[in-house]
Amino acid sequence: MILITGGAGYIGSHVAKQLLEQDRDIIVIDNLSTGFQRTIDTLQKIKKFDFINLDLNDFEKVVEVFEKYNIETVIHFAAFSQVGESMQNPMKYYMNNTVNTTHLVKCTSVYGVKKFIFSSTAATYGEPTLKGSEQTITEEFDTEPINPYGKSKLMSELVIKDEAKVNKDFKYCIFRYFNVAGADIHYEREELLPRVGEAHDPETHLIPLVVKTALGKRDAISIFGEEYDTPDGTCIRDYIHVDDLADAHIKAIDYLDENESDTFNCGYGYGYSVKEIIDSVKNTMKCDFKVIKGERREGDPSTLVSDNTKIKEKMKWKPKYNDLGLIIKSAYEWEKNLK
Ligand code: UFG
């Protein structure tokens, strides 16, 4: 049995979807604070599973889940993920992200769970300084997070690693995500119709915001800073399709049967600027909309691009949707039908 925490959220729901399509047995825990019941209902149509509406801070109830089910793998997504909010309310992040992860890791040890797959972030690297000819960030870079969100995730990584040092039956796979985007690649009568996708409240991420603007749900998109040290002056990010990212998690389940615990970057290894994303939405969706010049956002590094050599070589991970047009189209089709 595979336990997914945060399975009603953006990335968790894509992993759940892929596992259900492979007819695997899963249980989902989610407190629906940022995830949605409608996402659970959609997933139940692929294959029935037990959904437990539960906050991970309810330690007694979490223990009951481990008592009841024979859990072999935990895939842990449940967390808060807004950098700005974490600066305003750090305790919210340390309690939910670090304390609850620590308790979950303790349960895995007590109940003999063999594999722990953890959703971490490129925010653990902070503002990496690229030296000489370096263009991308490897897993060996120093981890110096600059906000409580990144720190809460890095501390969770350390907890997981320490448990693995003393518990030889416990293996982990930590994924450091770069910029996750797009929605379920699912076709009906040859039309792209995502069943699950991204929905944050408030939305802060670039691609969903640009797509909302293209759909007329917002008046304009604001570019946060045009004087960065990049070719067009706007920030560069490595956008990875959520279904490719989900596939890495599924691969990790079997990978850990044969291999040692490890940490992997998840990205495509090349980046696009904010202006390139905006132009690409205009071109792909054949539309125009208002773009305004905004202030820099505090804590935004100019360039964040992964070196993905390790995950490709060790895990044999092969991206299938590394096509910016498809990322944007799937995000657009999902957003179009989002109430
Ligand atoms: N941006 C704009 N206008 C907007 C929104 C964003 O110009 O309205 C810019 C941002 O300044 C940034 C880029 O678009 O340069 C991407 O911003 P996102 O908010 O989409 O993503 P981030 O790169 O800030 O954050 C992502 C993840 C975080 C993770 C971080 C790692 O969402 O969870 O990468 O640095 F922590």
Side-chain angles (χ1 to χ4, degrees):
M1 186 65 84
I2 300 164
L3 169 66
I4 302 178
T5 74
Y10 176 37
I11 303 165
S13 63
H14 285 78
V15 171
K17 170 202 78 167
Q18 292 191 14
L19 287 169
L20 294 167
E21 280 175 337
Q22 292 177 9
D23 202 23
R24 302 237 206 166
D25 291 325
I26 67 169
I27 330 154
V28 169
I29 293 181
D30 200 299
N31 66 359
L32 302 183
S33 67
T34 55
F36 299 93
Q37 179 64 46
R38 63 167 189 264
T39 303
I40 297 296
D41 298 342
T42 303
L43 294 171
Q44 295 278 14
K45 287 185 200 142
I46 303 174
K47 186 189 168 190
K48 287 265 173 263
F49 60 92
D50 285 357
F51 166 59
I52 306 159
N53 185 336
L54 175 61
D55 195 308
L56 289 181
N57 73 10
D58 191 343
F59 291 171
E60 281 177 25
K61 289 261 166 51
V62 173
V63 167
E64 282 172 23
V65 174
F66 283 89
E67 282 282 347
K68 180 168 175 193
Y69 299 91
N70 184 11
I71 297 165
E72 195 192 55
T73 301
V74 172
I75 313 184
H76 179 37
F77 296 101
F80 294 129
S81 63
Q82 285 183 36
V83 171
E85 185 189 50
S86 80
M87 309 275 274
Q88 305 302 322
N89 192 353
M91 282 311 126
K92 183 172 174 182
Y93 280 71
Y94 293 127
M95 294 306 288
N96 189 38
N97 295 6
T98 313
V99 174
N100 292 348
T101 299
T102 306
H103 182 252
L104 202 60
V105 170
K106 184 174 173 218
C107 289
T108 63
S109 168
V110 172
Y111 289 90
V113 173
K114 295 196 166 50
K115 297 176 265 187
F116 196 90
I117 298 166
F118 182 60
S119 153
S120 191
T121 168
T124 53
Y125 294 115
E127 291 190 79
T129 329
L130 299 168
K131 295 183 206 95
S133 60
E134 279 173 349
Q135 300 284 329
T136 54
I137 300 162
T138 70
E139 293 82 354
E140 305 311 315
F141 268 52
D142 289 343
T143 42
E144 289 173 11
I146 53 168
N147 51 59
Y149 167 61
K151 290 178 194 171
S152 73
K153 287 285 185 176
L154 182 62
M155 284 189 233
S156 303
E157 289 191 9
L158 297 173
V159 168
I160 295 164
K161 289 178 182 170
D162 275 349
E163 174 58 20
K165 274 185 205 151
V166 294
N167 180 351
K168 296 298 168 210
D169 297 323
F170 171 83
K171 287 189 185 174
Y172 67 81
C173 200
I174 291 169
F175 289 119
R176 293 187 180 145
Y177 310 160
F178 283 67
N179 287 57
V180 191
D184 177 30
I185 301 295
H186 171 74
Y187 292 90
E188 279 178 33
R189 286 181 289 280
E190 291 180 25
E191 246 185 81
L192 182 57
L193 269 183
R195 295 159 296 180
V196 286
E198 184 167 16
H200 297 111
D201 186 20
E203 189 53 76
T204 59
H205 292 123
L206 180 67
I207 291 185
L209 287 175
V210 181
V211 160
K212 277 181 203 286
T213 315
L215 282 160
K217 293 186 183 185
R218 290 170 56 94
D219 295 337
I221 183 75
S222 174
I223 298 182
F224 295 158
E226 297 187 18
E227 279 90 37
Y228 283 94
D229 185 17
T230 59
D232 69 14
T234 67
C235 288
I236 293 175
R237 294 288 181 275
D238 182 345
Y239 295 90
I240 171 173
H241 191 280
V242 61
D243 268 334
D244 277 331
L245 178 64
D247 176 56
H249 293 70
I250 313 259
K251 280 206 158 47
I253 302 172
D254 293 337
Y255 177 86
L256 287 176
D257 287 334
E258 308 291 332
N259 299 278
E260 291 313 309
S261 298
D262 219 334
T263 302
F264 298 95
N265 282 341
C266 286
Y268 288 151
Y270 48 81
Y272 292 100
S273 72
V274 173
K275 279 188 180 160
E276 285 174 323
I277 294 293
I278 293 172
D279 288 345
S280 182
V281 173
K282 288 185 176 176
N283 292 332
T284 310
M285 302 327 300
K286 305 204 175 4
C287 62
D288 202 5
F289 47 82
K290 201 168 154 193
V291 179
I292 52 181
K293 201 172 167 171
E295 293 296 310
R296 275 188 185 215
R297 194 170 61 178
E298 203 191 333
D300 268 347
S302 73
T303 303
L304 272 183
V305 177
S306 70
D307 181 320
N308 61 11
T309 313
K310 185 170 170 185
I311 188 168
K312 280 181 163 165
E313 286 187 2
K314 285 193 151 182
M315 214 176 258
K316 310 285 174 233
W317 174 76
K318 271 201 207 95
K320 281 199 289 200
Y321 306 116
N322 43 352
D323 164 352
L324 185 59
L326 184 60
I327 291 178
I328 286 168
K329 187 154 182 0
S330 63
Y332 185 95
E333 294 303 328
W334 163 255
E335 185 65 49
K336 198 166 80 181
N337 296 314
L338 198 63
K339 303 279 173 320

